[in-house]
Amino acid sequence: MKQTSLHPPVIPLESATLRTHLHPLVRDWFFGRFKDFSLTQQYSLGRIRDRKHILISAPTGGTKTLSAFLSILNYLISLAEKQELEDKIYAVYTSPLKALSNDIFVNLEQPLEEIRALGMARGITLQPIRVGLRTGDTSVSERAKQARKTPHIMITTPESLAIILTTPVFVENLRALEFVIVDEIHALTNKRGVFLSLALERLCAYSLVDPVRIGLSATVAPLETIAHFLGGEGREVGIAAVPLLKDIEIRLLYPGKSILDAEEASTQRGVYALLDELIGSNRTTLIFTNTRNATEKLVHHLEQQFPGKYSGLIGAHHSSMSKEMRFMIEERLRKGELKVIVSSTSLELGIDIGSIDLVILLRSPKAVSRALQRIGRAGHQLHAHPRGVLVVMDRDDLVECAVLMKEMVEKSIDRAHVPENALDVLAQHIYGMAISKIWEADEMLSVVRKSYCYRNLTKDDFQSVISYLAGDYALEHRHVYAKIWYDEKTNQIGKKGKLARVIYLTNIGTIPTEGFIEVVIGAGEGKGLPVGKIDEGFLERMKRGDIFVLGGQKYQFLHSKGMKAFVRAGITKNPTIPSWFSEQLPLSYDTACAIGRFRSLVHERIKDSVGAIAFIQSYCYCSKDVASEIYAYFLAQERFAALPTDKSIIVERFKEEKEFALFHACYGRRVNEVLARVYAYAAGRLKMRDVEIGVHDHGFFLAGEELDIEKVVKQITVKNMKELLLEALERTDVLKRRFRHCAARSLMILRTYKGREKSVGKQQVHSEFLLHAVRGISKDFPILREARREVIEDFMDVEHALRIVKQIEQKTLTLRTIRTPFVSPFGLQLYLQGKSDIISLEHKLSFLKRMHQLHQQTIERKGA
């Protein structure tokens, strides 16, 4: 409650009042272009003018950027008219995207030029207001120019801001900074956001005044947490929760007459015919997929299915493309040269791509916030509504999207997770701070704790990072040298070495360098036979014994070393992990729980088909056809096995080549990763051998011989779960990879040294030696502890997994085991995902049809 009271709601002001706030030139320019203030501007202008911190949460296209800058421009124009502009930075704007920073730079220069011309026409001479752009792409000559002629507004990224803070000439120009704008803050609830939060506190520590913090966000929750994240400790941040006035138009469609036909349609023309119809009825269409691979496939198939129709009118956009290619696609879309663009996640943020009529989401977007951000890319024209269509291909997706649609309409947004006490990011900033000046350790800790992300940082954790940076762990034999000095008597901290600043500038940032893993047949002796490559994200999800498909052949994973994965060939067993798994977006915990609640409500009405269908239609705001399909799916599950809900986990036991225990636990993949791993680890401790696991958003399975599930479940308690999870992870690839990422962020591993870049492979080899060394020194080595924390809290979701185990212990959540002759309707997608690489779509369709018939026959026999 104390946190909430710091962040009061902002009350919008009347347009007439706001008019009086504006300088005549700004007012005339504004009303020469706009009819009136937007609702977002009514919320923000007065508070920014009054120098009060504010978080502006408004829909995509809600004029947030101009709302943030208008009061600042008004202030600078007033000073420019009086010839009182100083050579200092008045405002810093930071965005997670370099492309977005470029957009803002262009969109500021034009209004300033127009206002200057307006002044000249009236005989008013304004001092020039300089705007500087500083990102990783800014040339050396441009940086030198900025150092000579200070920009009044600096547009930058989190990383470039941290570099600026170690540049003496810029630090001097920031000592009276008055405004800081953090754009797209919803995209910074990760380690990059943690990095920025510390950079902001460093910025404020150097400034003589506490600059006004202005946060801009699309759909995000909870707003109190994000406001606290923006403001840090002790600052009151007003929350401007701008309501969405435009009605969102959302439809849910599937190809074919029924959802069971969707798979068949996807093998033929059904899905492409549906997409073609939707594209044809709009001027511009943006299609979102969930993976880069799906993006490329969709563009290829649309061009192939409709020869010549999309030639020169369709483009792909995803993070694996070069920035030049992405920029070209964005530019062509702005100019109206493209009719359709297909993107993975890269166009979710607010890059200016012009006018979009319709957004299509192909398959579930997995989170309400993501769905709203994507659909919000449409309808930016005056009087237009954001319009979106969810196109689904299977029954699980149908249910997910129906619940997502309800949550979107009712503005029930999933909660963001902000990492806390990230020791690797802390190490990087301590080094940067030490480069800037000599610090008192207590003063440095005080600055760090003002960040929301480090408000609970203990002195011991802080001291452990200082000890690592000061070289107290004696890792010189592994080429990790002291980067700072710490004097215990004076309690002071400073930089060490002549190359300190160069090392810092060339290794800054939090985004890990990723590479590809070479797959080699053999156990690691000799050279082995290379058979192909997989990405790191795929490797870190594998454990010894997992079977996967590469180039049409099945291999069993043995172990990895450096950037090589050693495998066994000639495998006849089915795969346990699908090749696309690492790219798949995880279902949010909140949306998963909403699906569980929905199942409960339908379960209460399951015997009344007419009433249940009417309820689903009303509850999810969907068509009667969609409601009927969902009811049929739930009814089939209930009659064949049992319907899992938010009050019950159903463990389904059936025999295939192994004994399967399939847990119907709809909590999202991050939670199910935890539960699957700890239950599998417990099974191993009970001498149940060769236990395979499969993980899905709606559940997970254990597969092995003579599994005693009751014993396994009893092994896991609230008291021991976290400890057992860490034991289970200790020798896994996921921990090895995450340790390398943390080691690079904390500058244990230098990606660049003396102008030479270290390859990902060399980084990984170095990382493995370091991991072995620090384990021998101390199990509590700070960067190793951070790697463990990152895995269980950021990559996985141990907090909510603990909550579920507690509910099982307290029997407020029932865990019921049932026997089935074969996999149930709800278990099909999870059961099939491992086999998706070895069966064609035609065979998958045939298998699904056969399973649906078997389910129906079994249900009919039960009824008889």
Side-chain angles (χ1 to χ4, degrees):
M1 294 303 294
K2 185 180 178 183
Q3 179 179 318
T4 305
S5 65
L6 260 182
H7 312 304
V10 176
I11 309 299
L13 297 177
E14 295 292 333
S15 290
T17 305
L18 292 177
R19 277 176 174 266
T20 64
H21 289 187
L22 295 183
H23 184 283
L25 287 178
V26 178
R27 185 172 60 239
D28 292 349
W29 169 82
F30 182 87
F31 287 103
R33 296 187 64 176
F34 305 100
K35 186 178 178 181
D36 202 352
F37 294 109
S38 69
L39 186 57
T40 309
Q41 286 150 9
Q42 287 178 257
Y43 272 90
S44 59
L45 295 187
R47 190 169 176 92
I48 296 171
R49 187 204 64 164
D50 295 341
R51 304 301 177 99
K52 293 179 178 178
H53 310 295
I54 185 171
L55 170 65
I56 304 168
S57 175
T60 306
T63 68
K64 291 187 293 291
T65 309
L66 183 56
S67 301
F69 271 113
L70 196 53
S71 284
I72 298 170
L73 292 179
N74 190 64
Y75 170 62
L76 295 179
I77 293 293
S78 299
L79 292 177
E81 184 187 15
K82 299 172 190 171
Q83 306 297 303
E84 291 179 1
L85 273 179
E86 300 175 44
D87 282 335
K88 70 165 195 174
I89 300 172
Y90 285 86
V92 166
Y93 166 96
T94 180
S95 154
L97 283 180
K98 283 191 282 189
L100 189 53
S101 296
N102 282 313
D103 280 351
I104 300 302
F105 177 73
V106 171
N107 292 338
L108 271 180
E109 291 280 17
Q110 184 180 345
L112 286 170
E113 181 58 36
E114 289 172 357
I115 293 168
R116 190 183 68 82
L118 197 62
M120 286 181 67
R122 297 180 185 179
I124 301 169
T125 303
L126 298 175
Q127 275 180 283
I129 297 172
R130 297 186 291 272
V131 181
L133 176 64
R134 176 72 181 265
T135 70
D137 295 334
T138 306
S139 65
V140 175
S141 60
E142 180 59 29
R143 291 177 200 173
K145 180 182 170 185
Q146 289 172 4
R148 290 192 306 271
K149 229 172 190 179
T150 311
H152 299 114
I153 300 173
M154 178 66 82
I155 313 294
T156 189
T157 59
E159 294 75 20
S160 292
L161 176 59
I163 289 172
I164 288 168
L165 291 173
T166 61
T167 311
V169 63
F170 278 110
V171 170
E172 281 304 310
N173 293 326
L174 287 166
R175 290 205 185 275
L177 181 72
E178 298 183 47
F179 304 94
V180 177
I181 299 172
V182 180
D183 203 352
E184 303 284 355
I185 202 169
H186 55 275
L188 290 166
T189 55
N190 48 32
K191 282 200 170 178
R192 205 169 175 208
V194 175
F195 181 88
L196 177 61
S197 78
L198 274 182
L200 291 180
E201 295 307 336
R202 287 173 59 189
L203 189 62
C204 292
Y206 296 137
S207 181
L208 300 171
V209 295
D210 195 27
V212 180
R213 298 192 185 197
I214 305 159
L216 308 180
S217 175
T219 42
V220 69
L223 286 173
E224 290 78 12
T225 299
I226 304 303
H228 203 168
F229 170 62
L230 170 67
E233 288 299 283
R235 296 181 185 89
E236 179 186 280
V237 178
I239 297 175
V242 184
L244 179 59
L245 290 184
K246 291 181 179 180
D247 292 326
I248 299 180
E249 296 178 20
I250 316 169
R251 286 189 293 158
L252 178 53
L253 301 175
Y254 48 83
K257 291 181 180 177
S258 86
I259 189 65
L260 294 178
D261 296 332
E263 290 286 351
E264 183 176 7
S266 70
T267 65
Q268 300 173 17
R269 288 192 161 205
V271 70
Y272 305 110
L274 174 59
L275 293 175
D276 178 60
E277 183 185 334
L278 292 167
I279 293 164
S281 57
N282 292 278
R283 191 177 56 82
T284 51
T285 302
L286 171 58
I287 303 176
F288 279 106
T289 68
N290 289 340
T291 66
R292 291 162 291 185
N293 188 37
T295 294
E296 294 287 359
K297 274 186 176 178
L298 184 56
V299 171
H300 170 73
H301 282 300
L302 278 172
E303 289 181 324
Q304 192 178 54
Q305 294 283 348
F306 304 97
K309 186 171 184 178
Y310 290 102
S311 180
L313 298 175
I314 190 170
H317 192 289
H318 56 75
S319 57
S320 294
M321 294 167 64
S322 69
K323 66 182 180 185
E324 290 80 14
M325 282 293 292
R326 291 199 304 270
F327 181 77
M328 183 189 74
I329 292 291
E330 292 158 20
E331 191 63 23
R332 289 189 66 203
L333 193 60
R334 278 192 288 267
K335 289 178 178 177
E337 295 174 3
L338 293 178
K339 185 171 179 60
V340 57
I341 186 167
V342 186
S343 174
S344 52
T345 58
S346 54
L347 284 178
E348 285 178 359
L349 298 185
I351 302 168
D352 178 18
I353 53 171
S355 173
I356 299 291
D357 293 335
L358 178 71
V359 170
I360 299 172
L361 310 186
L362 189 60
R363 295 194 178 274
S364 166
K366 299 293 181 179
V368 181
S369 54
R370 183 177 290 113
L372 285 170
Q373 282 159 26
R374 289 179 172 187
I375 291 174
R377 303 297 274 146
H380 286 199
Q381 313 93 299
L382 195 62
H383 307 307
H385 299 290
R387 294 170 54 237
V389 175
L390 296 154
V391 175
V392 299
M393 314 276 266
D394 61 56
R395 294 190 292 182
D396 282 343
D397 251 10
L398 185 72
V399 175
E400 256 182 49
C401 286
V403 173
L404 277 168
M405 201 156 67
K406 171 194 169 54
E407 304 286 291
M408 278 190 275
V409 170
E410 297 178 0
K411 312 296 184 298
S412 181
I413 299 164
D414 25 55
R415 292 162 294 174
H417 164 75
V418 180
E420 295 185 20
N421 299 327
L423 300 182
D424 52 351
V425 178
L426 176 62
Q428 194 176 131
H429 269 289
I430 287 174
Y431 190 36
M433 292 169 84
I435 288 166
S436 302
K437 69 170 191 176
I438 294 173
W439 288 78
E440 294 284 339
D442 292 339
E443 180 194 1
M444 181 183 276
L445 177 57
S446 175
V447 169
V448 167
R449 281 178 174 166
K450 284 179 181 174
S451 158
Y452 168 79
C453 306
Y454 293 95
R455 67 197 185 283
N456 298 319
L457 181 71
T458 66
K459 194 163 187 176
D460 285 347
D461 277 351
F462 175 73
Q463 200 61 50
S464 72
V465 176
I466 295 293
S467 294
Y468 145 62
L469 288 171
D472 293 350
Y473 287 95
L475 287 166
E476 289 87 352
H477 67 296
R478 293 296 177 203
H479 307 291
V480 179
Y481 302 99
K483 293 172 179 63
I484 64 170
W485 54 261
Y486 172 58
D487 189 322
E488 288 186 25
K489 291 180 181 177
T490 63
N491 204 31
Q492 289 185 319
I493 297 166
K495 69 171 184 179
K496 196 168 190 177
K498 293 179 181 178
L499 292 174
R501 191 167 181 276
V502 174
I503 289 171
Y504 181 71
L505 299 190
T506 53
N507 290 277
I508 203 167
T510 60
I511 301 170
T513 311
E514 296 283 8
F516 285 94
I517 309 295
E518 187 174 41
V519 177
V520 177
I521 296 173
E525 299 298 325
K527 289 185 178 179
L529 176 67
V531 291
K533 292 184 178 182
I534 56 176
D535 67 64
E536 283 195 72
F538 184 46
L539 176 66
E540 74 174 14
R541 292 181 182 276
M542 283 200 286
K543 65 182 194 323
R544 184 178 177 84
D546 268 336
I547 297 161
F548 65 101
V549 175
L550 181 64
Q553 301 297 313
K554 290 185 282 190
Y555 300 100
Q556 186 173 43
F557 175 63
L558 301 174
H559 64 91
S560 70
K561 188 173 183 180
M563 299 301 282
K564 289 186 177 180
F566 295 94
V567 299
R568 184 179 288 125
I571 303 299
T572 56
K573 293 179 184 177
N574 284 328
T576 58
I577 183 167
S579 59
W580 47 260
F581 196 53
S582 62
E583 271 197 86
Q584 190 70 24
L585 295 169
L587 181 67
S588 75
Y589 173 75
D590 289 337
T591 302
C593 289
I595 293 169
R597 287 192 298 275
F598 174 55
R599 288 176 178 176
S600 278
L601 293 168
V602 176
H603 188 250
E604 291 169 7
R605 299 161 172 82
I606 200 82
K607 292 179 181 177
D608 174 13
S609 61
V610 175
I613 290 169
F615 165 76
I616 294 168
Q617 191 177 352
S618 167
Y619 187 82
C620 296
Y621 307 98
C622 62
S623 68
K624 188 175 180 181
D625 286 347
V626 167
S628 299
E629 292 285 355
I630 291 171
Y631 175 72
Y633 186 30
F634 283 13
L635 184 64
Q637 176 66 23
E638 172 69 10
R639 288 182 172 175
F640 180 82
L643 187 65
T645 68
D646 62 337
K647 300 178 182 69
S648 64
I649 293 175
I650 303 298
V651 184
E652 175 185 337
R653 305 294 303 270
F654 60 92
K655 183 83 173 173
E656 290 289 337
E657 66 271 16
K658 284 189 174 185
E659 178 82 14
F660 275 79
L662 197 155
F663 289 68
H664 292 280
C666 190
Y667 302 113
R669 199 168 74 225
R670 290 178 62 231
V671 171
N672 287 342
E673 281 272 7
V674 176
L675 297 174
R677 286 177 187 266
V678 291
Y679 285 148
Y681 188 66
R685 288 180 17 139
L686 289 167
K687 311 296 183 191
M688 301 174 195
R689 296 181 180 179
D690 299 325
V691 178
E692 293 175 11
I693 63 173
V695 183
H696 189 270
D697 286 317
H698 297 174
F700 59 92
F701 69 69
L702 306 183
E705 301 298 332
E706 299 179 1
L707 290 173
D708 189 332
I709 293 302
E710 284 190 6
K711 272 189 182 178
V712 168
V713 171
K714 283 179 181 176
Q715 290 286 303
I716 306 301
T717 66
V718 171
K719 288 183 179 178
N720 71 9
M721 194 195 84
K722 195 169 178 180
E723 181 185 343
L724 291 179
L725 176 62
L726 288 170
E727 284 180 23
L729 290 168
E730 199 57 33
R731 303 292 168 183
T732 62
D733 278 282
V734 63
L735 184 64
K736 281 165 61 176
R737 302 283 151 188
R738 298 288 165 148
F739 176 76
R740 188 194 87 217
H741 298 167
C742 294
R745 284 191 204 100
S746 60
L747 309 176
M748 286 184 79
I749 296 173
L750 299 180
R751 299 187 299 268
T752 305
Y753 184 66
K754 292 185 176 179
R756 293 184 180 179
E757 284 194 25
K758 183 178 282 189
S759 70
V760 178
K762 286 182 178 178
Q763 287 180 45
Q764 184 59 36
V765 171
H766 190 188
S767 168
E768 288 175 14
F769 284 125
L770 279 177
L771 184 55
H772 179 74
V774 299
R775 276 178 173 149
I777 293 167
S778 168
K779 67 175 185 178
D780 287 329
F781 183 76
I783 309 309
L784 178 55
R785 273 195 294 127
E786 173 53 28
R788 294 184 186 118
R789 188 213 62 78
E790 181 180 311
V791 171
I792 68 171
E793 292 182 16
D794 301 346
F795 174 66
M796 298 178 189
D797 184 353
V798 72
E799 178 191 348
H800 288 119
L802 277 167
R803 186 180 298 178
I804 290 149
V805 170
K806 185 177 181 180
Q807 288 174 348
I808 293 170
E809 276 185 9
Q810 294 177 344
K811 296 188 168 37
T812 54
L813 175 67
T814 60
L815 192 145
R816 183 158 66 97
T817 302
I818 60 172
R819 284 274 174 188
T820 58
F822 40 83
V823 64
S824 71
F826 271 28
L828 270 174
Q829 291 300 326
L830 173 55
Y831 176 73
L832 267 177
Q833 74 174 18
K835 300 174 174 57
S836 63
D837 289 325
I838 57 167
I839 62 173
S840 66
L841 281 172
E842 288 82 1
H843 286 144
K844 182 180 178 182
L845 170 65
S846 172
F847 172 80
L848 286 171
K849 278 189 171 178
R850 189 168 71 252
M851 290 305 298
H852 296 322
Q853 289 167 359
L854 286 171
H855 287 147
Q856 205 56 44
Q857 289 167 10
T858 305
I859 289 166
E860 286 169 4
R861 280 198 300 270
K862 277 186 176 182

